[in-house]
Amino acid sequence: MESVEARSVIVTHFDGEPVRDSGPTNSRNALAVTRTSPTSYAWVFWTAGEPFVQGQDTLADDGRSFTEVSWRIDRPERRVTLIYERR
């Protein structure tokens, strides 16, 4: 994951372990990713040392897009669905 705002990069593994960002702003952001199938993964994003947002990303059958369903930890009833398409 790359954050333009925080000027940081987080490189994770599919092991569910949170990894802190490597940016110069010392944002205390972290990301954990867990593989849930060959075409999907679940993730949790931390900010200021606390879990903030989580979600599930799934690759489309044709491999040209993926769908993200995400929500704030404190507002799980307010899920957002985003579709990212390859250009």
Side-chain angles (χ1 to χ4, degrees):
M1 181 182 93
E2 182 175 357
S3 170
V4 174
E5 296 88 6
R7 298 187 331 256
S8 68
V9 173
I10 301 174
V11 178
T12 65
H13 300 280
F14 290 106
D15 60 6
E17 294 295 320
V19 177
R20 296 222 16 215
D21 74 27
S22 61
T25 60
N26 194 17
S27 67
R28 296 181 55 210
N29 292 339
L31 179 66
V33 179
T34 304
R35 184 178 185 172
T36 56
S37 81
T39 58
S40 66
Y41 59 89
W43 54 269
V44 179
F45 181 75
W46 279 259
T47 187
E50 297 292 327
F52 180 62
V53 179
Q54 70 183 58
Q56 175 87 23
D57 291 1
T58 304
L59 183 65
D61 289 340
D62 65 6
R64 296 190 52 80
S65 66
F66 72 91
T67 301
E68 174 181 296
V69 178
S70 59
W71 57 95
R72 284 180 36 173
I73 297 292
D74 63 346
R75 303 295 298 267
E77 72 281 1
R78 297 188 70 188
R79 293 175 185 254
V80 174
T81 301
L82 303 168
I83 298 172
Y84 296 88
E85 295 181 332
R86 175 181 251 164
R87 288 184 162 215

mmCIF file of all heavy atoms in Angstrom, residues 27-66:
data_model
loop_
_atom_site.group_PDB
_atom_site.id
_atom_site.type_symbol
_atom_site.label_atom_id
_atom_site.label_comp_id
_atom_site.label_asym_id
_atom_site.label_seq_id
_atom_site.Cartn_x
_atom_site.Cartn_y
_atom_site.Cartn_z
ATOM 1 N N SER A 27 3.699 8.134 11.141
ATOM 2 C CA SER A 27 2.250 8.234 11.305
ATOM 3 C C SER A 27 1.656 7.170 12.229
ATOM 4 O O SER A 27 0.509 7.279 12.614
ATOM 5 C CB SER A 27 1.574 8.134 9.943
ATOM 6 O OG SER A 27 1.772 6.831 9.417
ATOM 7 N N ARG A 28 2.404 6.148 12.544
ATOM 8 C CA ARG A 28 1.903 5.022 13.347
ATOM 9 C C ARG A 28 0.779 4.277 12.641
ATOM 10 O O ARG A 28 -0.036 3.620 13.274
ATOM 11 C CB ARG A 28 1.485 5.474 14.744
ATOM 12 C CG ARG A 28 2.639 5.990 15.559
ATOM 13 C CD ARG A 28 2.233 6.423 16.958
ATOM 14 N NE ARG A 28 1.560 5.344 17.666
ATOM 15 C CZ ARG A 28 0.619 5.553 18.593
ATOM 16 N NH1 ARG A 28 0.261 6.774 18.907
ATOM 17 N NH2 ARG A 28 0.049 4.533 19.199
ATOM 18 N N ASN A 29 0.722 4.377 11.299
ATOM 19 C CA ASN A 29 -0.224 3.587 10.524
ATOM 20 C C ASN A 29 0.345 2.190 10.338
ATOM 21 O O ASN A 29 1.561 2.005 10.276
ATOM 22 C CB ASN A 29 -0.479 4.212 9.158
ATOM 23 C CG ASN A 29 -1.231 5.520 9.250
ATOM 24 O OD1 ASN A 29 -1.887 5.805 10.235
ATOM 25 N ND2 ASN A 29 -1.125 6.321 8.215
ATOM 26 N N ALA A 30 -0.545 1.217 10.233
ATOM 27 C CA ALA A 30 -0.127 -0.161 9.989
ATOM 28 C C ALA A 30 -1.228 -0.856 9.198
ATOM 29 O O ALA A 30 -2.383 -0.417 9.191
ATOM 30 C CB ALA A 30 0.126 -0.891 11.304
ATOM 31 N N LEU A 31 -0.846 -1.941 8.540
ATOM 32 C CA LEU A 31 -1.783 -2.716 7.730
ATOM 33 C C LEU A 31 -1.501 -4.196 7.949
ATOM 34 O O LEU A 31 -0.338 -4.617 7.951
ATOM 35 C CB LEU A 31 -1.609 -2.369 6.251
ATOM 36 C CG LEU A 31 -2.497 -3.101 5.251
ATOM 37 C CD1 LEU A 31 -3.962 -2.716 5.441
ATOM 38 C CD2 LEU A 31 -2.045 -2.800 3.828
ATOM 39 N N ALA A 32 -2.565 -4.988 8.141
ATOM 40 C CA ALA A 32 -2.463 -6.438 8.227
ATOM 41 C C ALA A 32 -3.348 -7.033 7.145
ATOM 42 O O ALA A 32 -4.480 -6.586 6.948
ATOM 43 C CB ALA A 32 -2.914 -6.932 9.592
ATOM 44 N N VAL A 33 -2.836 -8.029 6.431
ATOM 45 C CA VAL A 33 -3.571 -8.660 5.331
ATOM 46 C C VAL A 33 -3.574 -10.172 5.554
ATOM 47 O O VAL A 33 -2.534 -10.755 5.866
ATOM 48 C CB VAL A 33 -2.914 -8.328 3.972
ATOM 49 C CG1 VAL A 33 -3.658 -8.997 2.837
ATOM 50 C CG2 VAL A 33 -2.847 -6.828 3.762
ATOM 51 N N THR A 34 -4.743 -10.789 5.369
ATOM 52 C CA THR A 34 -4.890 -12.234 5.508
ATOM 53 C C THR A 34 -5.557 -12.786 4.267
ATOM 54 O O THR A 34 -6.643 -12.331 3.884
ATOM 55 C CB THR A 34 -5.762 -12.581 6.733
ATOM 56 O OG1 THR A 34 -5.192 -11.980 7.894
ATOM 57 C CG2 THR A 34 -5.862 -14.079 6.925
ATOM 58 N N ARG A 35 -4.915 -13.742 3.632
ATOM 59 C CA ARG A 35 -5.499 -14.380 2.452
ATOM 60 C C ARG A 35 -6.708 -15.199 2.881
ATOM 61 O O ARG A 35 -6.639 -15.986 3.819
ATOM 62 C CB ARG A 35 -4.461 -15.272 1.794
ATOM 63 C CG ARG A 35 -4.925 -15.896 0.526
ATOM 64 C CD ARG A 35 -3.812 -16.715 -0.060
ATOM 65 N NE ARG A 35 -4.227 -17.216 -1.348
ATOM 66 C CZ ARG A 35 -3.424 -17.826 -2.168
ATOM 67 N NH1 ARG A 35 -2.174 -18.008 -1.848
ATOM 68 N NH2 ARG A 35 -3.874 -18.251 -3.325
ATOM 69 N N THR A 36 -7.834 -15.027 2.193
ATOM 70 C CA THR A 36 -9.047 -15.771 2.512
ATOM 71 C C THR A 36 -9.426 -16.779 1.436
ATOM 72 O O THR A 36 -10.233 -17.664 1.682
ATOM 73 C CB THR A 36 -10.226 -14.810 2.772
ATOM 74 O OG1 THR A 36 -10.386 -13.961 1.635
ATOM 75 C CG2 THR A 36 -9.979 -13.964 4.009
ATOM 76 N N SER A 37 -8.848 -16.623 0.246
ATOM 77 C CA SER A 37 -9.045 -17.570 -0.857
ATOM 78 C C SER A 37 -7.982 -17.243 -1.904
ATOM 79 O O SER A 37 -7.259 -16.263 -1.765
ATOM 80 C CB SER A 37 -10.454 -17.445 -1.449
ATOM 81 O OG SER A 37 -10.526 -16.366 -2.363
ATOM 82 N N PRO A 38 -7.891 -18.013 -2.974
ATOM 83 C CA PRO A 38 -6.920 -17.673 -4.020
ATOM 84 C C PRO A 38 -7.179 -16.324 -4.687
ATOM 85 O O PRO A 38 -6.285 -15.753 -5.303
ATOM 86 C CB PRO A 38 -7.069 -18.814 -5.036
ATOM 87 C CG PRO A 38 -7.579 -19.964 -4.232
ATOM 88 C CD PRO A 38 -8.488 -19.336 -3.200
ATOM 89 N N THR A 39 -8.393 -15.782 -4.556
ATOM 90 C CA THR A 39 -8.721 -14.515 -5.219
ATOM 91 C C THR A 39 -9.227 -13.437 -4.268
ATOM 92 O O THR A 39 -9.786 -12.430 -4.710
ATOM 93 C CB THR A 39 -9.776 -14.742 -6.322
ATOM 94 O OG1 THR A 39 -10.941 -15.326 -5.720
ATOM 95 C CG2 THR A 39 -9.228 -15.628 -7.439
ATOM 96 N N SER A 40 -9.035 -13.615 -2.959
ATOM 97 C CA SER A 40 -9.508 -12.588 -2.030
ATOM 98 C C SER A 40 -8.635 -12.523 -0.783
ATOM 99 O O SER A 40 -7.926 -13.481 -0.455
ATOM 100 C CB SER A 40 -10.960 -12.848 -1.631
ATOM 101 O OG SER A 40 -11.071 -14.033 -0.884
ATOM 102 N N TYR A 41 -8.708 -11.377 -0.112
ATOM 103 C CA TYR A 41 -8.008 -11.206 1.151
ATOM 104 C C TYR A 41 -8.780 -10.240 2.043
ATOM 105 O O TYR A 41 -9.522 -9.386 1.570
ATOM 106 C CB TYR A 41 -6.572 -10.718 0.942
ATOM 107 C CG TYR A 41 -6.434 -9.406 0.219
ATOM 108 C CD1 TYR A 41 -6.435 -8.198 0.904
ATOM 109 C CD2 TYR A 41 -6.295 -9.364 -1.169
ATOM 110 C CE1 TYR A 41 -6.317 -6.982 0.239
ATOM 111 C CE2 TYR A 41 -6.163 -8.157 -1.841
ATOM 112 C CZ TYR A 41 -6.171 -6.976 -1.127
ATOM 113 O OH TYR A 41 -6.058 -5.776 -1.789
ATOM 114 N N ALA A 42 -8.621 -10.416 3.329
ATOM 115 C CA ALA A 42 -9.190 -9.510 4.326
ATOM 116 C C ALA A 42 -8.061 -8.637 4.848
ATOM 117 O O ALA A 42 -6.893 -9.049 4.849
ATOM 118 C CB ALA A 42 -9.813 -10.312 5.469
ATOM 119 N N TRP A 43 -8.396 -7.439 5.288
ATOM 120 C CA TRP A 43 -7.359 -6.529 5.776
ATOM 121 C C TRP A 43 -7.899 -5.674 6.918
ATOM 122 O O TRP A 43 -9.098 -5.482 7.063
ATOM 123 C CB TRP A 43 -6.820 -5.649 4.647
ATOM 124 C CG TRP A 43 -7.884 -4.896 3.906
ATOM 125 C CD1 TRP A 43 -8.560 -5.315 2.789
ATOM 126 C CD2 TRP A 43 -8.427 -3.618 4.219
ATOM 127 N NE1 TRP A 43 -9.485 -4.364 2.397
ATOM 128 C CE2 TRP A 43 -9.415 -3.302 3.263
ATOM 129 C CE3 TRP A 43 -8.185 -2.678 5.220
ATOM 130 C CZ2 TRP A 43 -10.144 -2.123 3.283
ATOM 131 C CZ3 TRP A 43 -8.911 -1.499 5.235
ATOM 132 C CH2 TRP A 43 -9.869 -1.234 4.262
ATOM 133 N N VAL A 44 -6.963 -5.192 7.737
ATOM 134 C CA VAL A 44 -7.265 -4.250 8.805
ATOM 135 C C VAL A 44 -6.213 -3.157 8.742
ATOM 136 O O VAL A 44 -5.015 -3.437 8.652
ATOM 137 C CB VAL A 44 -7.232 -4.918 10.199
ATOM 138 C CG1 VAL A 44 -7.518 -3.899 11.295
ATOM 139 C CG2 VAL A 44 -8.211 -6.076 10.271
ATOM 140 N N PHE A 45 -6.670 -1.906 8.787
ATOM 141 C CA PHE A 45 -5.770 -0.746 8.759
ATOM 142 C C PHE A 45 -5.808 -0.067 10.124
ATOM 143 O O PHE A 45 -6.887 0.220 10.638
ATOM 144 C CB PHE A 45 -6.208 0.233 7.666
ATOM 145 C CG PHE A 45 -5.330 1.438 7.551
ATOM 146 C CD1 PHE A 45 -4.080 1.355 6.958
ATOM 147 C CD2 PHE A 45 -5.757 2.661 8.044
ATOM 148 C CE1 PHE A 45 -3.270 2.473 6.858
ATOM 149 C CE2 PHE A 45 -4.950 3.781 7.946
ATOM 150 C CZ PHE A 45 -3.705 3.682 7.348
ATOM 151 N N TRP A 46 -4.639 0.142 10.706
ATOM 152 C CA TRP A 46 -4.511 0.829 11.989
ATOM 153 C C TRP A 46 -4.038 2.250 11.759
ATOM 154 O O TRP A 46 -3.236 2.504 10.867
ATOM 155 C CB TRP A 46 -3.447 0.164 12.854
ATOM 156 C CG TRP A 46 -3.868 -1.051 13.592
ATOM 157 C CD1 TRP A 46 -4.207 -1.128 14.898
ATOM 158 C CD2 TRP A 46 -3.943 -2.384 13.099
ATOM 159 N NE1 TRP A 46 -4.507 -2.419 15.239
ATOM 160 C CE2 TRP A 46 -4.350 -3.200 14.150
ATOM 161 C CE3 TRP A 46 -3.722 -2.958 11.851
ATOM 162 C CZ2 TRP A 46 -4.530 -4.568 14.009
ATOM 163 C CZ3 TRP A 46 -3.904 -4.312 11.704
ATOM 164 C CH2 TRP A 46 -4.308 -5.096 12.769
ATOM 165 N N THR A 47 -4.499 3.165 12.591
ATOM 166 C CA THR A 47 -3.969 4.517 12.608
ATOM 167 C C THR A 47 -3.800 4.919 14.069
ATOM 168 O O THR A 47 -4.626 4.567 14.909
ATOM 169 C CB THR A 47 -4.852 5.504 11.820
ATOM 170 O OG1 THR A 47 -4.211 6.763 11.732
ATOM 171 C CG2 THR A 47 -6.222 5.668 12.411
ATOM 172 N N ALA A 48 -2.728 5.604 14.355
ATOM 173 C CA ALA A 48 -2.398 6.003 15.735
ATOM 174 C C ALA A 48 -2.410 4.807 16.678
ATOM 175 O O ALA A 48 -2.822 4.906 17.824
ATOM 176 C CB ALA A 48 -3.332 7.099 16.220
ATOM 177 N N GLY A 49 -2.010 3.652 16.171
ATOM 178 C CA GLY A 49 -1.898 2.463 16.995
ATOM 179 C C GLY A 49 -3.190 1.718 17.277
ATOM 180 O O GLY A 49 -3.187 0.736 18.008
ATOM 181 N N GLU A 50 -4.311 2.147 16.691
ATOM 182 C CA GLU A 50 -5.606 1.511 16.929
ATOM 183 C C GLU A 50 -6.225 1.049 15.610
ATOM 184 O O GLU A 50 -6.122 1.741 14.602
ATOM 185 C CB GLU A 50 -6.573 2.503 17.588
ATOM 186 C CG GLU A 50 -6.136 2.989 18.951
ATOM 187 C CD GLU A 50 -6.164 1.896 19.997
ATOM 188 O OE1 GLU A 50 -7.038 1.005 19.918
ATOM 189 O OE2 GLU A 50 -5.289 1.914 20.883
ATOM 190 N N PRO A 51 -6.919 -0.113 15.594
ATOM 191 C CA PRO A 51 -7.622 -0.524 14.376
ATOM 192 C C PRO A 51 -8.651 0.538 13.992
ATOM 193 O O PRO A 51 -9.374 1.029 14.850
ATOM 194 C CB PRO A 51 -8.316 -1.823 14.770
ATOM 195 C CG PRO A 51 -7.747 -2.233 16.070
ATOM 196 C CD PRO A 51 -7.114 -1.047 16.690
ATOM 197 N N PHE A 52 -8.695 0.885 12.711
ATOM 198 C CA PHE A 52 -9.553 1.975 12.259
ATOM 199 C C PHE A 52 -10.537 1.529 11.181
ATOM 200 O O PHE A 52 -11.728 1.822 11.254
ATOM 201 C CB PHE A 52 -8.688 3.128 11.753
ATOM 202 C CG PHE A 52 -9.460 4.308 11.252
ATOM 203 C CD1 PHE A 52 -10.286 5.023 12.102
ATOM 204 C CD2 PHE A 52 -9.374 4.701 9.935
ATOM 205 C CE1 PHE A 52 -11.017 6.117 11.646
ATOM 206 C CE2 PHE A 52 -10.082 5.789 9.462
ATOM 207 C CZ PHE A 52 -10.914 6.503 10.310
ATOM 208 N N VAL A 53 -10.042 0.837 10.157
ATOM 209 C CA VAL A 53 -10.869 0.394 9.028
ATOM 210 C C VAL A 53 -10.510 -1.048 8.714
ATOM 211 O O VAL A 53 -9.351 -1.444 8.832
ATOM 212 C CB VAL A 53 -10.615 1.264 7.771
ATOM 213 C CG1 VAL A 53 -11.451 0.799 6.595
ATOM 214 C CG2 VAL A 53 -10.873 2.722 8.046
ATOM 215 N N GLN A 54 -11.513 -1.820 8.303
ATOM 216 C CA GLN A 54 -11.224 -3.172 7.835
ATOM 217 C C GLN A 54 -12.036 -3.452 6.593
ATOM 218 O O GLN A 54 -12.978 -2.723 6.284
ATOM 219 C CB GLN A 54 -11.484 -4.213 8.904
ATOM 220 C CG GLN A 54 -12.925 -4.435 9.258
ATOM 221 C CD GLN A 54 -13.062 -5.447 10.376
ATOM 222 O OE1 GLN A 54 -12.523 -5.268 11.457
ATOM 223 N NE2 GLN A 54 -13.798 -6.504 10.121
ATOM 224 N N GLY A 55 -11.645 -4.494 5.868
ATOM 225 C CA GLY A 55 -12.374 -4.803 4.658
ATOM 226 C C GLY A 55 -11.993 -6.131 4.049
ATOM 227 O O GLY A 55 -11.175 -6.868 4.587
ATOM 228 N N GLN A 56 -12.596 -6.385 2.901
ATOM 229 C CA GLN A 56 -12.371 -7.597 2.130
ATOM 230 C C GLN A 56 -12.250 -7.190 0.666
ATOM 231 O O GLN A 56 -13.094 -6.449 0.160
ATOM 232 C CB GLN A 56 -13.555 -8.550 2.314
ATOM 233 C CG GLN A 56 -13.515 -9.791 1.478
ATOM 234 C CD GLN A 56 -12.747 -10.911 2.131
ATOM 235 O OE1 GLN A 56 -12.600 -10.943 3.342
ATOM 236 N NE2 GLN A 56 -12.250 -11.833 1.332
ATOM 237 N N ASP A 57 -11.194 -7.629 -0.003
ATOM 238 C CA ASP A 57 -10.999 -7.358 -1.426
ATOM 239 C C ASP A 57 -11.070 -8.672 -2.193
ATOM 240 O O ASP A 57 -10.482 -9.672 -1.764
ATOM 241 C CB ASP A 57 -9.640 -6.702 -1.678
ATOM 242 C CG ASP A 57 -9.561 -5.285 -1.125
ATOM 243 O OD1 ASP A 57 -10.550 -4.811 -0.534
ATOM 244 O OD2 ASP A 57 -8.508 -4.659 -1.293
ATOM 245 N N THR A 58 -11.789 -8.652 -3.323
ATOM 246 C CA THR A 58 -11.979 -9.855 -4.125
ATOM 247 C C THR A 58 -11.726 -9.548 -5.593
ATOM 248 O O THR A 58 -12.312 -8.608 -6.144
ATOM 249 C CB THR A 58 -13.422 -10.393 -3.955
ATOM 250 O OG1 THR A 58 -13.672 -10.610 -2.568
ATOM 251 C CG2 THR A 58 -13.613 -11.687 -4.717
ATOM 252 N N LEU A 59 -10.880 -10.337 -6.221
ATOM 253 C CA LEU A 59 -10.564 -10.199 -7.637
ATOM 254 C C LEU A 59 -11.706 -10.755 -8.476
ATOM 255 O O LEU A 59 -12.259 -11.815 -8.170
ATOM 256 C CB LEU A 59 -9.273 -10.961 -7.961
ATOM 257 C CG LEU A 59 -8.732 -10.870 -9.377
ATOM 258 C CD1 LEU A 59 -8.307 -9.441 -9.693
ATOM 259 C CD2 LEU A 59 -7.565 -11.832 -9.541
ATOM 260 N N ALA A 60 -12.072 -10.036 -9.540
ATOM 261 C CA ALA A 60 -13.126 -10.498 -10.452
ATOM 262 C C ALA A 60 -12.652 -11.730 -11.214
ATOM 263 O O ALA A 60 -11.453 -11.950 -11.395
ATOM 264 C CB ALA A 60 -13.500 -9.394 -11.433
ATOM 265 N N ASP A 61 -13.600 -12.519 -11.695
ATOM 266 C CA ASP A 61 -13.266 -13.738 -12.439
ATOM 267 C C ASP A 61 -12.401 -13.459 -13.654
ATOM 268 O O ASP A 61 -11.527 -14.250 -13.992
ATOM 269 C CB ASP A 61 -14.538 -14.462 -12.876
ATOM 270 C CG ASP A 61 -15.280 -15.097 -11.710
ATOM 271 O OD1 ASP A 61 -14.656 -15.325 -10.641
ATOM 272 O OD2 ASP A 61 -16.495 -15.352 -11.847
ATOM 273 N N ASP A 62 -12.616 -12.306 -14.323
ATOM 274 C CA ASP A 62 -11.829 -11.998 -15.516
ATOM 275 C C ASP A 62 -10.481 -11.346 -15.179
ATOM 276 O O ASP A 62 -9.682 -11.066 -16.077
ATOM 277 C CB ASP A 62 -12.611 -11.112 -16.488
ATOM 278 C CG ASP A 62 -12.920 -9.732 -15.936
ATOM 279 O OD1 ASP A 62 -12.444 -9.369 -14.826
ATOM 280 O OD2 ASP A 62 -13.653 -8.988 -16.615
ATOM 281 N N GLY A 63 -10.227 -11.077 -13.918
ATOM 282 C CA GLY A 63 -8.944 -10.505 -13.503
ATOM 283 C C GLY A 63 -8.762 -9.042 -13.849
ATOM 284 O O GLY A 63 -7.689 -8.484 -13.651
ATOM 285 N N ARG A 64 -9.794 -8.380 -14.338
ATOM 286 C CA ARG A 64 -9.647 -6.992 -14.781
ATOM 287 C C ARG A 64 -10.122 -5.975 -13.752
ATOM 288 O O ARG A 64 -9.995 -4.779 -13.956
ATOM 289 C CB ARG A 64 -10.373 -6.785 -16.102
ATOM 290 C CG ARG A 64 -9.765 -7.628 -17.228
ATOM 291 C CD ARG A 64 -10.297 -7.288 -18.588
ATOM 292 N NE ARG A 64 -10.249 -5.894 -18.938
ATOM 293 C CZ ARG A 64 -9.174 -5.239 -19.383
ATOM 294 N NH1 ARG A 64 -8.034 -5.864 -19.494
ATOM 295 N NH2 ARG A 64 -9.253 -3.964 -19.704
ATOM 296 N N SER A 65 -10.698 -6.422 -12.652
ATOM 297 C CA SER A 65 -11.151 -5.508 -11.604
ATOM 298 C C SER A 65 -11.171 -6.249 -10.280
ATOM 299 O O SER A 65 -11.075 -7.476 -10.230
ATOM 300 C CB SER A 65 -12.548 -4.970 -11.926
ATOM 301 O OG SER A 65 -13.497 -6.012 -11.880
ATOM 302 N N PHE A 66 -11.282 -5.486 -9.198
ATOM 303 C CA PHE A 66 -11.537 -6.110 -7.909
ATOM 304 C C PHE A 66 -12.520 -5.252 -7.130
ATOM 305 O O PHE A 66 -12.641 -4.057 -7.346
ATOM 306 C CB PHE A 66 -10.253 -6.413 -7.132
ATOM 307 C CG PHE A 66 -9.543 -5.218 -6.557
ATOM 308 C CD1 PHE A 66 -9.817 -4.755 -5.277
ATOM 309 C CD2 PHE A 66 -8.567 -4.566 -7.291
ATOM 310 C CE1 PHE A 66 -9.154 -3.665 -4.750
ATOM 311 C CE2 PHE A 66 -7.885 -3.485 -6.767
ATOM 312 C CZ PHE A 66 -8.177 -3.025 -5.494
#
